[in-house]
């Protein structure tokens, strides 16, 4: 593989974003594909904004993606897509979970101002649409629940993005890494979430973007 | 993140974080003792060592602070064992008293100090540049730029330390520590742990007066020998292959180190520039001849380093002798900043400015558009978790002091978030343990009553002398001691006052109440922050009493408590709002701000069962009793339990 690929990942503390990036990295190690990540730890308790820069390819050196250069952004929470929108290149792919988690400060402002409304998915999609035509939304929570555990939302989204031909780490090593990285008793439900996420994505994504064969 | 890779027999390859790779490097070097106090961005080093210590024949201690940790490692290294400690930048400030003296006495066994700076102050109170700890103490310093180098440098540092008889500093920045990549692992040749006889050489490890003067002379010779060795170190290299066939600028080169090197390489690729790069991995003592050789024939050098102009000033001084006309592009207006962290586009922009080239992407335009797209996007700073006891303590403290102007001196821990959005509560915040010293100065100086606030781990780390002083000075401020059982912020590590678990029966638990009383505090009140109806009154009474008083607010960190519940198979039962009863009083929102509570389409409070911890604080606050437990009405969370461990498995809080 000669092309480099940069994926910006965004979410809320507690959604399992760092685990997700470890799964992709471990899949890279399994498949012999060079992956580096720049992660955020430290102050990232539950409920704070979290970002992971993930880079694949022989020439990547910086764990941080240059702005305007990410091939794709994957957000576990819709609002967080906008928070890191500067990284997405024009015409890049945005895979957005439909889930919106309202920050405590925003709720605080709503109770003080009765006319104020929450920012929602529609606004996010409209604004991300100013950067790219490839905005793909998925109700990953619904997929995860169908798989049998709402906490597999992150792996459902991984399944979803794995169908894209452009995504450089193939599904088999990804599944292998999922099986290695999640707790033993949760392997089955996670692999199911991966599969259901991929299925849901095929219905939604493959009309407009090149997908891998089944 | 699996510890299996760190402890695997090797050789092999694994995807790991630089923090884990450093642990691997130390294990490959047969390290025997590790001691540290947690601190971002180094906490995962301690976590991985703690885990390894349960599987392997080595000592791994969580110390009460960084100075104790460094001294513990020093004791082992004086005896001849290989030892290691890790700390964040500001932890080095705590440890540096002994660190400087240890550079005098030196060590017998190899000793490595992994120290991490935090450009951008992601999780620190400052952007302190710790590279000056190298030259200031005559201690050799290595700077890795990626996980592979982190492993290799730590491994090599033990050997270097032993041969030169001095501790070695391995200095990183957040974007190195928290970088993951594929690491080639060496063989793990562990030998059994064995105590050694003390060498009994009089004054060998005594530094005072003429002993100190004699040591100093030795240190100068040692530094010269180190410099000579570093001239041919594989950790320094001149790269001329960054962009084969790219645009060349004769007479222009780059000097870079640490994270700056990563960005410099990537910026050259973004710009299609074939510039030679001198990559420095040994940054004290600097290999001056190597640098001479690189800059001698250049017309212009671009120095890529975050924070202070450490390399730049050294190069400037060296250039004076060999190439006085050399143009040096480093820090300065329109060039690099001494503030914040860099990234590839920042470095590409500076390269473009210096060389008169456009960047491949209009970075300023992209940032401008992003600013517009983010208008109205609510901030999401880290905040107290659902079920966090601090939320209850702070709510009660504010209620007890409602209408009373007062000053709150706070400290380092999760509760450092209280002065931020949305609570905005707290007046001073300096460093570990500082709340008590600052409160003493405040109570002498301000008209209002003074309250200090500190966590259990921070109190044991550096707060005790401040409380001793307050008692001695007959101060009249009150200390709120937040006892949540663990060092929560850095990933719920144990501290000396943590409850015992099966595997730490060898340690004695410190009794905080007895400790505080033993220091001479007569007025000690213990409250439960979950009892949010009772606590404001209890605090009010305590505040009204004269003299130094300590209010201990005791309740397990919610994340730690949840982990214990999961282990015991207990369910976490979330609360719900009764829509018939809720009259939109918003008592559960204002001054409370739990992430599990938001408003539904009818603007009534609504609780997310996937987030709620079932702590019942909000239920007790609601004047109408609209919030109840779902106990009985449903079996815990929809998913049954949080048993998959899918969330927060990294523990990197």
């Amino acid at each position: 593989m000669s092309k480099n690929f940069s994926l910006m990942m965004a979410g809320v503390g507690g959604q399992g974003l760092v685990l997700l990036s470890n799964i992709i990295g471990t899949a890279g190690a399994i498949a012999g594909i060079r992956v580096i990540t720049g992660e955020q730890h430290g102050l990232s308790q539950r409920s704070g904004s979290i970002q992971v820069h993930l880079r694949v390819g022989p020439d990547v050196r910086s764990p941080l993606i240059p702005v305007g250069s990410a091939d794709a952004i994957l957000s576990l929470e819709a609002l967080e897509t906008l928070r890191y929108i500067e990284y997405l290149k024009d015409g890049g792919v945005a895979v957005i979970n439909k889930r919106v988690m309202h920050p405590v400060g925003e709720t605080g402002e709503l109770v003080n101002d009765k006319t104020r409304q929450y920012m929602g998915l529609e606004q996010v999609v409209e604004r991300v649409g100013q950067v790219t035509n490839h905005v793909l939304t998925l109700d990953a929570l619904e997929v995860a629940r169908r798989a049998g555990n709402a906490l597999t939302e992150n792996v459902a989204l991984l399944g979803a993005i794995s169908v894209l031909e452009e995504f450089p780490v193939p599904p088999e090593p990804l599944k292998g890494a999922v099986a290695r990285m999640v707790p033993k008793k949760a392997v089955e439900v996670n692999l199911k979430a991966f599969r259901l996420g991929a299925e849901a994505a095929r219905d939604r994504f493959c009309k407009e973007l090149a997908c891998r064969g089944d | 993140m699996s510890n299996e890779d760190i402890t695997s027999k090797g050789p092999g390859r694994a995807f790991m974080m630089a923090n884990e790779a450093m642990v691997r490097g130390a294990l490959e070097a047969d390290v025997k003792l590790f001691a540290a106090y947690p601190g971002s961005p180094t906490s995962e080093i301690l976590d991985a060592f703690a885990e390894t210590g349960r599987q392997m024949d080595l000592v791994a201690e969580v110390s009460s602070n960084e100075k104790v940790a460094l001294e513990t490692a020093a004791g082992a290294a004086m005896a001849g064992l290989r030892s290691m400690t890790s700390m964040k930048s500001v932890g080095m400030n705590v440890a540096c008293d002994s660190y400087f003296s240890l550079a005098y006495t030196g060590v017998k066994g190899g000793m490595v100090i992994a120290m991490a700076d935090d450009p951008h102050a992601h999780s620190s109170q400052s952007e302190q540049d710790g590279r000056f700890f190298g030259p200031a103490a005559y201690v050799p310093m290595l700077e890795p730029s990626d996980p592979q180098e982190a492993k290799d440098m730590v491994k090599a540092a033990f050997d270097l330390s032993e041969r030169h008889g001095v501790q070695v500093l391995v200095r990183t920045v957040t974007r190195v520590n928290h970088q993951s990549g594929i690491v080639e692992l060496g063989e793990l040749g562990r030998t059994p742990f064995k105590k050694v006889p003390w060498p009994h050489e009089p004054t060998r490890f005594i530094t005072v007066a003429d002993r100190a003067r004699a040591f100093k002379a030795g240190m100068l010779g040692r530094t010269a020998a180190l410099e000579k060795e570093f001239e041919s170190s594989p950790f320094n290299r001149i790269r001329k292959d960054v962009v084969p066939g790219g645009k060349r600028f004769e007479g222009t080169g780059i000097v870079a180190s640490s994270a700056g090197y990563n960005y410099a390489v990537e910026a050259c690729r973004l710009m299609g520039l074939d510039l030679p790069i001198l990559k420095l991995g040994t940054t004290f003592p600097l290999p001056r001849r190597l640098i001479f050789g690189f800059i001698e024939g250049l017309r212009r050098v671009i120095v890529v380093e975050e924070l202070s102009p450490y390399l730049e000033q050294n190069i400037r001084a060296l250039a004076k002798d060999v190439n006085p006309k050399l143009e040096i592009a480093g820090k300065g207006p329109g060039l690099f900043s001494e503030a914040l962290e860099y990234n590839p586009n920042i470095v590409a922009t500076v390269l473009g400015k210096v060389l008169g080239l456009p960047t491949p992407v209009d970075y300023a335009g992209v940032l401008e558009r992003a600013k517009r797209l983010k208008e109205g996007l609510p901030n999401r700073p880290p905040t107290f978790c659902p079920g966090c006891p601090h939320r209850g303590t702070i709510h009660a403290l504010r209620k007890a002091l409602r209408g009373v102007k007062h000053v709150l001196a706070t400290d380092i821990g999760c509760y450092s978030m209280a002065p931020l959005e949305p609570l905005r509560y707290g007046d001073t915040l300096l460093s570990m343990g500082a709340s008590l010293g600052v409160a003493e100065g405040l109570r002498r100086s301000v008209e209002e009553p003074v309250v200090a606030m500190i966590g259990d781990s921070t109190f044991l780390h550096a707060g005790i002398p401040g409380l001793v002083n307050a008692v001695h000075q007959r101060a009249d401020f009150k200390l709120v001691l937040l006892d949540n059982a663990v060092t929560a912020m850095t990933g719920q590590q144990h501290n000396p006052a943590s409850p015992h678990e099966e595997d730490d029966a060898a340690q004695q638990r410190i009794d905080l109440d007895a400790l505080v009383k033993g220091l001479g505090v007569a007025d000690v009140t213990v409250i439960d922050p979950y009892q949010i109806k009772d606590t404001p009154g209890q605090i009010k009474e305590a505040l009204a009493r004269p003299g130094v008083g300590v209010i201990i607010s005791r309740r397990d960190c919610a994340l730690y408590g949840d982990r214990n519940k999961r282990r015991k198979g207990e369910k976490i039962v979330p609360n719900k709002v009764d829509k018939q009863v809720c009259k939109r009083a918003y008592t559960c929102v204002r001054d409370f701000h739990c992430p599990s509570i938001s408003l539904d389409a009818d603007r009534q409070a609504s609780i997310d069962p996937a987030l709620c911890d079932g702590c019942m604080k909000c239920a007790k606050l609601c004047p109408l009793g609209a919030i109840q437990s779902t106990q009985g009405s449903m079996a815990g969370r929809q998913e049954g339990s949080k048993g998959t461990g899918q969330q927060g498995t990294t523990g990197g809080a």
Side-chain angles (χ1 to χ4, degrees):
Chain A
M1 201 206 76
S2 60
K3 203 178 155 283
N4 297 323
F5 183 87
S6 297
L7 175 68
M8 188 70 201
M9 298 162 73
V12 175
Q15 285 194 295
L17 193 64
V18 173
L19 175 64
L20 197 53
S21 87
N22 275 318
I23 287 171
I24 302 172
T26 301
I30 292 171
I33 297 169
R34 181 177 151 79
V35 178
I36 63 172
T37 66
E39 296 150 25
Q40 194 185 25
H41 301 260
L43 274 169
S44 42
Q45 277 94 344
R46 279 182 195 171
S47 318
S49 168
I50 306 281
Q51 49 164 321
V52 173
H53 299 242
L54 188 132
R55 315 200 64 206
V56 188
D59 294 335
V60 291
R61 177 76 221 176
S62 158
L64 298 183
I65 301 169
V67 302
S69 310
D71 299 284
I73 184 166
L74 176 71
S75 14
L76 272 59
E77 194 275 350
L79 298 179
E80 295 309 307
T81 326
L82 274 187
R83 197 166 323 275
Y84 304 104
I85 194 63
E86 63 269 31
Y87 289 98
L88 186 64
K89 70 179 184 190
D90 285 18
V93 178
V95 178
I96 303 174
N97 189 3
K98 287 187 175 174
R99 175 127 172 229
V100 175
M101 294 162 78
H102 305 297
V104 289
E106 191 184 22
T107 300
E109 284 172 32
L110 256 72
V111 305
N112 290 332
D113 176 358
K114 290 204 163 54
T115 65
R116 207 182 139 143
Q117 299 291 326
Y118 280 124
M119 184 177 268
L121 177 68
E122 301 71 28
Q123 282 157 288
V124 171
V125 169
E126 186 274 316
R127 291 186 190 191
V128 175
Q130 296 182 38
V131 177
T132 178
N133 291 325
H134 304 306
V135 184
L136 309 166
T137 58
L138 188 78
D139 188 344
L141 189 59
E142 184 273 330
V143 174
R145 284 190 172 132
R146 267 197 289 129
N149 189 326
L151 295 177
T152 60
E153 203 180 2
N154 51 356
V155 173
L157 277 162
L158 180 64
I161 199 166
S162 76
V163 306
L164 299 178
E165 198 174 75
E166 205 188 355
F167 190 72
V169 187
E172 280 316 309
L174 285 174
K175 283 188 251 176
V178 167
R180 236 192 98 181
M181 305 298 289
V182 305
K184 281 200 178 61
K185 60 178 177 177
V187 169
E188 210 173 306
V189 69
N190 274 287
L191 288 176
K192 191 174 177 193
F194 185 93
R195 184 168 53 78
L196 294 179
E199 278 171 18
R202 277 187 194 285
D203 295 345
R204 290 274 301 97
F205 299 179
C206 300
K207 284 176 216 130
E208 53 176 291
L209 289 165
C211 284
R212 284 175 188 274
D214 277 303
Chain B
M1 289 304 201
S2 93
N3 220 56
E4 280 167 39
D5 289 328
I6 299 171
T7 57
S8 72
K9 192 88 194 79
R13 61 209 316 257
F15 181 78
M16 45 171 73
M17 203 197 301
N19 278 340
E20 299 169 309
M22 284 194 262
V23 177
R24 172 71 191 192
L27 293 177
E28 285 181 14
D30 205 17
V31 69
K32 292 301 180 201
L33 180 142
F34 172 85
Y37 182 83
S40 297
T42 63
S43 303
E44 298 83 7
I45 300 176
L46 182 153
D47 292 339
F49 259 117
E51 178 80 26
T52 305
R54 285 190 277 272
Q55 302 162 3
M56 272 186 182
D57 199 10
L58 60 88
V59 176
E61 283 189 7
V62 183
S63 308
S64 52
N65 70 28
E66 293 86 353
K67 183 167 182 284
V68 172
L70 182 134
E71 289 153 355
T72 304
M78 286 171 176
L81 297 187
R82 289 193 162 185
S83 69
M84 181 166 169
T85 181
S86 62
M87 57 197 68
K88 67 183 295 174
S89 54
V90 289
M92 189 62 177
N93 301 344
V94 177
C96 76
D97 200 354
S98 292
Y99 163 82
F100 279 94
S101 303
L102 185 67
Y104 275 66
T105 67
V107 293
K108 280 181 109 102
M111 176 172 160
V112 174
I113 302 167
M115 175 195 74
D117 288 342
D118 190 16
H120 226 91
H122 290 285
S123 51
S124 309
Q125 58 269 43
S126 78
E127 282 195 316
Q128 172 177 314
D129 191 331
R131 286 177 295 173
F132 294 95
F133 280 114
Y138 298 87
V139 166
M141 176 165 66
L142 306 179
E143 290 191 71
S145 62
D146 66 15
Q148 183 72 54
E149 272 191 329
K151 183 193 87 77
D152 295 343
M153 282 187 178
V154 165
K155 190 175 178 179
F158 281 98
D159 178 57
L160 187 72
S161 168
E162 243 154 52
R163 281 189 292 104
H164 292 273
V166 60
Q167 73 265 33
V168 174
L169 201 53
V170 176
R171 184 261 185 181
T172 51
V173 293
T174 301
R175 294 299 182 180
V176 172
N177 293 83
H178 287 163
Q179 183 188 149
S180 295
I182 292 163
V183 178
E184 299 290 339
L185 309 177
E187 198 143 344
L188 205 64
R190 304 285 303 167
T191 61
F193 186 96
K194 226 175 110 230
K195 281 194 176 179
V196 291
W198 177 250
H200 293 287
E201 301 164 51
T203 72
R204 170 64 188 84
F205 293 104
I206 306 292
T207 176
V208 67
D210 58 344
R211 282 296 295 150
R213 293 187 280 274
F215 278 133
K216 182 69 185 280
M219 289 160 75
L220 300 178
R222 178 180 78 201
T223 304
L226 279 159
E227 181 177 339
K228 198 162 167 233
E229 182 173 335
F230 286 170
E231 294 289 358
S232 56
S233 165
F235 298 131
N236 304 315
R237 59 183 189 278
I238 297 169
R239 285 198 62 174
K240 291 186 173 168
D241 59 345
V242 173
V243 182
K247 194 189 263 287
R248 302 183 69 161
F249 281 79
E250 282 309 322
T252 298
I254 293 174
V255 178
S257 66
S258 187
Y261 169 72
N262 299 331
Y263 308 141
V265 170
E266 189 113 0
C268 282
R269 287 184 179 146
L270 286 169
M271 303 285 288
L273 284 170
D274 185 17
L275 299 181
I277 302 181
L278 170 59
K279 197 265 185 201
L280 290 171
T282 69
T283 47
F284 185 81
L286 282 167
R288 280 182 288 187
R289 284 186 44 201
L290 181 72
I291 298 172
F292 277 152
F294 185 73
I295 62 173
E296 213 171 19
L298 292 181
R299 197 168 53 76
R300 176 168 53 199
V301 67
I302 300 161
V303 185
V304 187
E305 59 178 330
E306 292 175 310
L307 303 177
S308 318
Y310 171 80
L311 295 176
E312 182 186 337
Q313 282 171 356
N314 275 289
I315 290 167
R316 218 171 268 287
L318 295 176
K320 201 163 167 289
D321 294 332
V322 288
N323 187 355
K325 286 194 178 147
L326 181 72
E327 181 193 322
I328 299 170
K331 311 289 175 182
L335 296 170
F336 290 115
S337 172
E338 292 186 39
L340 310 182
E341 67 180 8
Y342 298 172
N343 57 31
N345 46 279
I346 287 174
V347 177
T349 302
V350 172
L351 292 183
K353 252 179 219 164
V354 172
L355 302 172
L357 297 172
T359 53
V361 171
D362 171 16
Y363 299 122
V366 168
L367 292 169
E368 196 51 48
R369 178 181 62 190
K371 200 173 154 193
R372 186 169 52 74
L373 294 176
K374 289 184 212 188
E375 266 168 34
L377 177 69
N379 290 335
R380 197 190 302 271
T383 189
F384 298 127
C385 301
C388 178
H390 297 338
R391 179 177 289 109
T393 307
I394 288 164
H395 190 274
L397 184 60
R398 290 181 108 164
K399 202 164 182 179
L401 282 160
R402 189 157 290 161
V404 182
K405 276 195 177 167
H406 61 285
V407 185
L408 178 70
T410 188
D411 222 298
I412 307 291
C414 287
Y415 47 96
S416 298
M417 295 187 295
L420 309 175
E421 183 194 347
L423 288 172
R424 298 205 177 282
Y425 184 50
D427 297 290
T428 71
L429 176 65
L430 281 182
S431 64
M432 295 285 285
S435 59
L436 283 144
V438 170
E440 169 63 11
L442 288 171
R443 70 105 184 167
R444 296 277 194 189
S445 315
V446 301
E447 294 164 349
E448 294 92 338
V450 174
V451 178
M453 186 160 77
I454 197 168
D456 49 347
S457 189
T458 307
F459 177 67
L460 294 170
H461 174 289
I464 295 170
L467 186 56
V468 169
N469 182 68
V471 171
H472 175 64
Q473 303 294 346
R474 292 194 186 279
D476 57 0
F477 65 82
K478 300 293 175 285
L479 173 68
V480 178
L481 178 49
L482 306 163
D483 179 11
N484 64 359
V486 285
T487 308
M489 179 147 233
T490 50
Q492 305 104 50
Q493 292 85 0
H494 273 204
N495 67 51
S498 297
H500 276 166
E501 283 175 25
E502 282 164 35
D503 55 2
D504 64 0
Q507 294 164 341
Q508 173 162 336
R509 184 181 183 185
I510 301 299
D511 180 338
L512 274 181
D513 306 25
L515 172 64
V516 167
K517 285 175 188 158
L519 295 178
V521 179
D523 186 359
V524 179
T525 311
V526 180
I527 62 169
D528 174 359
Y530 277 12
Q531 303 308 323
I532 206 158
K533 281 278 190 218
D534 308 329
T535 46
Q538 292 169 318
I539 293 173
K540 210 169 177 171
E541 280 172 31
L543 293 175
R545 293 192 288 267
V548 178
V550 175
I551 300 159
I552 300 178
S553 183
R554 178 163 292 138
R555 174 64 75 160
D556 284 359
C557 159
L559 294 180
Y560 172 72
D562 287 356
R563 216 165 54 194
N564 284 341
K565 277 185 192 165
R566 278 199 298 270
R567 204 174 298 163
K568 290 183 212 151
E570 286 173 26
K571 285 196 169 128
I572 293 156
V573 184
N575 293 342
K576 60 170 187 200
V577 176
D578 187 336
K579 282 181 75 73
Q580 308 303 316
V581 182
C582 174
K583 295 284 179 287
R584 302 177 185 84
Y586 300 134
T587 322
C588 58
V589 175
R590 289 195 183 99
D591 296 340
F592 194 67
H593 302 293
C594 177
S596 68
I597 301 177
S598 59
L599 304 191
D600 64 14
D602 302 320
R603 295 183 91 91
Q604 285 178 303
S606 160
I607 295 175
D608 184 341
L611 293 177
C612 178
D613 195 56
C615 72
M616 301 300 289
K617 289 200 293 283
C618 60
K620 288 167 189 156
L621 274 182
C622 180
L624 297 158
I627 300 174
Q628 297 116 27
S629 173
T630 54
Q631 185 95 50
S633 65
M634 63 185 269
R637 287 172 203 245
Q638 205 156 350
E639 292 71 42
S641 77
K642 302 202 286 187
T644 66
Q646 187 107 342
Q647 297 182 323
T649 49
T650 62

